[in-house]
Amino acid sequence: RRAPRRRPFSSWSHFVGNLLVTLALWLPASTDACDKIPTYVSMKAKGNPVPPVSAGFAVEYECRLGYRLIVPLVHPTTTVCQPDGTWAPPLREACTRKSCPQLAEPINGRLEGTFQFGAQAHYSCNVGYHLVGTRVLRCELAGDGNNVAWSGDPPQCEKILCQPPQQIENGTFSNSHKDTFEYNEVVTYSCKPSGGPDEYSLVGKSKLICSGPNKWSSDPPECKVIRCDYPSLPDGELVSGFRKKYYYKAEVEFKCNQGYSLEGSGKIVCEANSTWVPEIPRCVK
C-alpha cells in the first residue's frame, strides 16, 4: 500500500502561525507606554504634554515661575518614556526658589523671616515704639513673573508719643503744661476745691498712662459732688465709718442690736449715683 504524501506547505504555515502568536505575546499590547507625566514642585514640563505617550517620548522640564536653575546644574532636566511605562533617567528637583532683595533690620525694631519666593518678612518694634507701615511683607512674583519682589515698602518704628489728655471740668492733671508725653508717662488727675458746702469727688481712674500713639490707658475721670444719705439702721447701729457727711467711696459697717439678726451685707459703700451699694441691710427680730 502506498504511503500518503506529506503536505510541507501546510506544516510550514502552521509553524509560522505559532511564531506570530508568540511574537504577539512578547510585544506590548498598546503603543501608549506611559499614562502619566512626572510632576515636580520646582519644575514643569515644556509644552504641557498630554498623556498617554508612547515609548521614546521625551519630556524636557523648565523652572516654574519664582524658581531658577540650580547652578552648577548637577541633575538632568529631560526624561524619556520607557516601554515598561517608567521614565528614565529619573529626575530630581533642578530648580530652587528665587530670592527677594535683602531687607535691613529696622531701627528700634526687629525683622524675622526668610527672603525666598513665597516667604514672609515679619516686622515688630521695640517697647516704646510703634510700627508705621505694613507689618508683613511677602516675597512674590513681580511684573511678567520672571522676577520676584517684596509686596510693599519696609515699615518704620517711630517713638510712641501722646498728646495731652482731655481737660476735665472742676479738675486738672499733673504736667498739664506739656505739649507731648512719652510712652509709659503717667498723669495724675485731681479735683479743684468746690467753693461750696460739699467737696468734689474724683470718679474714675486718677492715673492715666500713655500706652500707645495718642492713646491713654483709660478715659479721664470726672469731678463732681457725690453724697449719700446718712446710713441709719433701725434696731442696729454703725460699727465703723462714723462721719458727718458721706461722700463717694465712703464705707460703713453695721451690726444689729441683741435679739436681731442681720439680713443683707454688713458693709456698704457710697457709689457714683449717690446710693449705697449694696443697699442698706435690715435687722430682723
Side-chain angles (χ1 to χ4, degrees), residues 46-142:
K46 287 186 177 180
N48 297 319
V50 179
V53 296
S54 58
F57 186 86
V59 177
E60 184 181 359
Y61 286 85
E62 61 185 352
C63 293
R64 295 183 185 274
L65 293 178
Y67 291 80
R68 60 173 177 80
L69 278 174
I70 299 173
V71 179
L73 186 63
V74 294
H75 302 301
T77 57
T78 301
T79 185
V80 179
C81 174
Q82 304 300 308
D84 62 354
T86 61
W87 292 85
L91 301 186
R92 297 175 60 182
E93 302 284 353
C95 302
T96 187
R97 296 174 188 265
K98 292 181 179 179
S99 294
C100 281
Q102 185 84 12
L103 293 171
E105 190 90 356
I107 300 174
N108 299 311
R110 296 175 299 282
L111 171 62
E112 296 179 354
T114 61
F115 302 149
Q116 291 184 327
F117 170 63
Q120 293 182 340
H122 294 259
Y123 286 85
S124 59
C125 294
N126 298 337
V127 175
Y129 293 82
H130 69 105
L131 200 72
V132 178
T134 304
R135 184 173 298 275
V136 179
L137 298 182
R138 300 179 305 278
C139 182
E140 58 188 19
L141 296 176

Side-chain angles (χ1 to χ4, degrees), residues 33-273:
C34 298
D35 57 1
K36 289 184 179 179
I37 304 295
T39 58
Y40 300 90
V41 173
S42 65
M43 307 183 298
K44 65 176 181 177
K46 287 186 177 180
N48 297 319
V50 179
V53 296
S54 58
F57 186 86
V59 177
E60 184 181 359
Y61 286 85
E62 61 185 352
C63 293
R64 295 183 185 274
L65 293 178
Y67 291 80
R68 60 173 177 80
L69 278 174
I70 299 173
V71 179
L73 186 63
V74 294
H75 302 301
T77 57
T78 301
T79 185
V80 179
C81 174
Q82 304 300 308
D84 62 354
T86 61
W87 292 85
L91 301 186
R92 297 175 60 182
E93 302 284 353
C95 302
T96 187
R97 296 174 188 265
K98 292 181 179 179
S99 294
C100 281
Q102 185 84 12
L103 293 171
E105 190 90 356
I107 300 174
N108 299 311
R110 296 175 299 282
L111 171 62
E112 296 179 354
T114 61
F115 302 149
Q116 291 184 327
F117 170 63
Q120 293 182 340
H122 294 259
Y123 286 85
S124 59
C125 294
N126 298 337
V127 175
Y129 293 82
H130 69 105
L131 200 72
V132 178
T134 304
R135 184 173 298 275
V136 179
L137 298 182
R138 300 179 305 278
C139 182
E140 58 188 19
L141 296 176
D144 57 2
N146 290 325
N147 297 307
V148 294
W150 292 108
S151 56
D153 295 327
Q156 294 180 328
C157 292
E158 295 186 358
K159 195 170 187 178
I160 292 176
L161 296 173
C162 290
Q163 293 181 351
Q166 182 181 338
Q167 291 282 1
I168 61 171
E169 188 177 359
N170 305 318
T172 186
F173 58 85
S174 58
N175 293 322
S176 57
H177 62 282
K178 295 179 65 173
D179 294 329
T180 57
F181 295 83
E182 295 187 357
Y183 177 72
N184 265 350
E185 192 168 354
V186 178
V187 297
T188 303
Y189 282 86
S190 59
C191 295
K192 298 176 181 178
S194 68
D198 295 313
E199 294 300 324
Y200 292 121
S201 295
L202 192 75
V203 181
K205 293 187 176 181
S206 61
K207 295 182 183 296
L208 270 63
I209 305 171
C210 176
S211 58
N214 285 327
K215 181 181 178 182
W216 292 93
S217 55
S218 63
D219 293 331
E222 296 179 273
C223 286
K224 57 183 182 179
V225 175
I226 297 176
R227 182 175 174 180
C228 289
D229 294 333
Y230 190 90
S232 60
L233 179 64
D235 302 313
E237 60 181 345
L238 286 177
V239 176
S240 64
F242 301 98
R243 62 191 68 185
K244 291 182 178 180
K245 297 178 181 180
Y246 292 91
Y247 296 114
Y248 182 58
K249 291 300 180 184
E251 183 178 304
V252 296
E253 185 176 0
F254 296 103
K255 76 170 184 178
C256 291
N257 298 336
Q258 188 173 0
Y260 292 82
S261 60
L262 193 70
E263 187 178 86
S265 175
K267 291 183 178 181
I268 58 175
V269 179
C270 179
E271 290 293 358
N273 57 356

